[in-house]
Amino acid sequence: MIEICPSGALVDGGRGVRFEVSVAGRAVPAFVVRFGGIVRAYLNRCAHVAMELDWQPGEFFDFDAEHLVCSTHGALYDPATGQCVGGACAGRGGLRTLKVFERDGRVAWEPDDYVQAIAGGEG
């Protein structure tokens, strides 16, 4: 597991924490947020067009903190699943989920067959 941040850095429906992962040897932005009391992590790329979602660094939620929103295209995502529920990609996919854990006051992610740690770093 690779640490991302302290648990206290994530407020339910609030600002997320950005970090980088490796996909096919390339650095790719990712993020973690808290929703419904549970931490969730995704690659930071819209399913409609591969643009980063946040409208300001770490700002992923809409104004009501009900959906993750793509600042470029307005696509809306269910923060619990990453599924696209509104906009150009509605019903056709969603965000790529990352394995994320919360233990002992820390949030960490676990690489898988698709998403790896940045070579020489810890994500």
Side-chain angles (χ1 to χ4, degrees):
M1 289 193 303
I2 300 169
E3 285 192 17
I4 300 169
C5 64
S7 293
L10 298 172
V11 175
D12 208 65
R15 189 176 182 86
V17 173
R18 296 171 52 101
F19 60 103
E20 284 194 331
V21 299
S22 176
V23 175
R26 299 178 89 183
V28 175
F31 67 96
V32 62
V33 294
R34 184 181 304 279
F35 182 75
I38 300 170
V39 294
R40 320 272 181 170
Y42 302 100
L43 290 184
N44 190 3
R45 43 166 104 141
C46 181
H48 173 226
V49 175
M51 303 285 292
E52 293 183 23
L53 273 67
D54 40 348
W55 51 276
Q56 292 288 324
E59 300 292 345
F60 296 98
F61 283 99
D62 62 7
F63 293 111
D64 297 325
E66 293 179 6
H67 297 97
L68 301 172
V69 62
C70 174
S71 63
T72 304
H73 303 106
L76 298 174
Y77 298 92
D78 179 345
T81 65
Q83 289 300 304
C84 186
V85 295
C89 60
R92 297 185 318 225
L95 303 174
R96 172 60 163 81
T97 304
L98 303 180
K99 295 178 185 178
V100 67
F101 304 91
E102 187 169 24
R103 290 192 190 123
D104 301 323
R106 305 292 299 169
V107 175
W109 72 279
E110 184 175 305
D112 60 30
D113 291 339
Y114 183 73
V115 180
Q116 298 293 310
I118 299 288
E122 291 217 318

